[in-house]
Amino acid sequence: MASVTPPGLAYEVEHDQVHHRFKARVRGHEAVLDYQVKRKRMTILHTGVPEEIGGRGIAGELTKVALRFAREQGYKVVPACEYAEAFLERHHDEYQDLLAG
């Protein structure tokens, strides 16, 4: 499992490629972003942050790290969960090139 934490972040984001998951542990709670890859398409299936650590931008950071990974791998992205879809709408200009057609 590799750490893919952006500089300046107060917690570590890990990439578990075996289980297709990005995760962050904050104050004993785990936030996750689950995905799958098929034919150079990365589908973001689920983003979950426990209430106890919500409201800190953790889901956004997990999504940014996942999108950076997709870009590095040359994947197109399909946002299948509500959070990822809303995130990509809010940051359309920055990630438009990643969206699967």
Side-chain angles (χ1 to χ4, degrees):
M1 195 162 355
S3 173
V4 288
T5 306
L9 202 58
Y11 48 86
E12 191 169 310
V13 176
E14 294 181 348
H15 187 191
D16 181 349
Q17 287 188 276
V18 172
H19 295 103
H20 301 105
R21 172 176 274 191
F22 290 91
K23 57 188 178 178
R25 258 204 169 316
V26 179
R27 296 182 179 239
H29 300 281
E30 187 173 84
V32 300
L33 181 147
D34 295 315
Y35 69 93
Q36 70 181 17
V37 175
K38 289 184 183 175
R39 295 184 294 270
K40 299 291 273 182
R41 283 183 173 223
M42 179 181 183
T43 302
I44 299 175
L45 303 169
H46 169 76
T47 305
V49 177
E51 274 185 49
E52 295 85 356
I53 57 171
R56 301 174 191 200
I58 298 167
E61 285 303 324
L62 289 169
T63 304
K64 287 177 191 175
V65 170
L67 294 172
R68 186 176 72 213
F69 171 73
R71 184 170 277 139
E72 289 168 357
Q73 299 302 310
Y75 296 152
K76 290 295 184 181
V77 175
V78 178
C81 82
E82 288 182 35
Y83 182 85
E85 186 175 5
F87 182 93
L88 285 164
E89 283 179 19
R90 282 194 314 273
H91 302 277
H92 181 54
D93 292 344
E94 190 176 349
Y95 299 107
Q96 178 180 347
D97 61 309
L98 289 178
L99 291 173

